[in-house]
Amino acid sequence: MKKMQWPVLKIIMVLFLATGAFFTPAHSQVFNYRLQKADSLFAAKQFTQSLAHYEEIFTQGQYTPAMFLKMAFVEEGLNEIGKTLYYLNLYHLATGDDAVLAKMEQLSKKHKLQGYTFDETSQVALIYQKYHDKVSMAIGALMLLLVSLAVFLKRRGHKPIAAVATVLFLAVVFGFHLSMKETDTQVIVAENHNYLMAGPSGAADVVDVIDGGHRFEIEKRYDIWVQVRWNGRTAFIRDHQVLPVRL
């Protein structure tokens, strides 16, 4: 009986360890030479050069909250409002600093942008994304603890029905939770002159032409198309025209 129990325990342990290794927060990584170089260029007011370095750092999964503020500053100077708001959103997601919301609201009003209501639902969604990795580790740790408890009870001659049932339930929750990592809840339009279509096709009717900066809640995805709400109706925009608000 013991030989049957340990493989299960090992599987859960491997799952937990792998989860912890995979979901290491990017901001905990050691600053590399490129980040130092970018900060030096920014301090020297060579803003576009520093932006190129910051962008490369972020594509590698590394970031600091201060880096996002500097990127937003440079993008605003270049009049790239979509990317400015994108990096401000990332800063808020990384820090939870509500002081930046005033700047975002100012820009959204000035450029007549939609999607910046800052209601409780959108805030909860952003917080969930921020702590997604930590929740994954917590669920994995709880599953490991319950499996250990089930093994202990079994050795004592008890039937660990409740513990096993809870592990199975958590396994389902864990699977659903991981799938949410692949789902972007919010996106920001990156560039100017984007077509919103009535259907997920280039042959569909044009609903509107919008510039960068609008923020959308994703309703569904259709291949290369993202379904959103625009002025109370369903519209579609190409996936490459939006940036996901996630770290």
Side-chain angles (χ1 to χ4, degrees):
M1 182 65 67
K2 293 180 180 179
K3 292 182 179 180
M4 294 297 293
Q5 294 167 347
W6 281 107
V8 176
L9 181 58
K10 288 180 179 179
I11 291 173
I12 299 298
M13 290 180 67
V14 170
L15 173 65
F16 174 64
L17 292 174
T19 301
F22 183 75
F23 290 122
T24 301
H27 61 268
S28 67
Q29 300 180 22
V30 179
F31 291 137
N32 57 21
Y33 170 78
R34 189 178 290 271
L35 179 59
Q36 295 174 358
K37 179 66 174 178
D39 287 338
S40 297
L41 289 169
F42 186 89
K45 297 185 178 181
Q46 298 182 39
F47 297 126
T48 55
Q49 294 92 328
S50 67
L51 179 62
H53 284 279
Y54 287 135
E55 289 174 338
E56 179 63 24
I57 291 168
F58 191 45
T59 59
Q60 296 174 357
Q62 298 174 307
Y63 66 86
T64 67
M67 185 181 88
F68 290 141
L69 284 181
K70 293 174 182 177
M71 296 172 81
F73 174 83
V74 178
E75 294 288 8
E76 185 176 11
L78 297 172
N79 201 33
E80 294 287 347
I81 303 305
K83 291 183 178 178
T84 300
L85 283 163
Y86 172 62
Y87 291 121
L88 290 178
N89 271 265
L90 293 184
Y91 172 80
H92 183 251
L93 182 59
T95 65
D97 183 4
D98 288 341
V100 75
L101 297 181
K103 177 63 175 179
M104 293 163 62
E105 184 176 11
Q106 175 192 357
L107 288 173
S108 65
K109 288 182 177 179
K110 178 180 178 181
H111 297 276
K112 299 180 180 179
L113 302 173
Q114 295 189 20
Y116 294 90
T117 56
F118 304 109
D119 56 23
E120 292 184 0
T121 301
S122 62
Q123 294 306 308
V124 169
L126 289 175
I127 292 173
Y128 174 74
Q129 285 190 1
K130 178 180 178 181
Y131 292 102
H132 186 280
D133 300 344
K134 293 181 180 179
V135 172
S136 299
M137 297 180 68
I139 295 175
L142 182 57
M143 291 174 64
L144 177 60
L145 177 64
L146 289 172
V147 170
S148 301
L149 176 61
V151 172
F152 174 79
L153 292 174
K154 187 68 176 180
R155 289 178 175 176
R156 293 292 179 128
H158 302 289
K159 294 183 178 181
I161 298 176
V164 172
T166 305
V167 169
L168 293 176
F169 171 76
L170 286 176
V172 175
V173 172
F174 190 69
F176 176 76
H177 171 74
L178 289 181
S179 69
M180 294 298 291
K181 185 69 175 182
E182 304 300 325
T183 303
D184 307 321
T185 58
Q186 289 187 339
V187 291
I188 292 179
V189 180
E191 307 290 347
N192 291 332
H193 201 72
N194 305 276
Y195 288 95
L196 288 178
M197 313 301 290
S201 169
D205 294 335
V206 175
V207 173
D208 208 341
V209 181
I210 63 173
D211 287 334
H214 295 283
R215 188 171 70 178
F216 293 117
E217 298 285 342
I218 292 181
E219 295 185 339
K220 292 181 183 178
R221 285 185 177 275
Y222 296 88
D223 192 20
I224 62 171
W225 295 90
V226 175
Q227 178 179 319
V228 298
R229 299 292 293 178
W230 177 254
N231 291 330
R233 64 174 295 183
T234 298
F236 298 84
I237 187 171
R238 292 183 184 272
D239 181 75
H240 70 82
Q241 295 175 314
V242 296
L243 297 170
V245 182
R246 66 164 183 241
L247 296 175

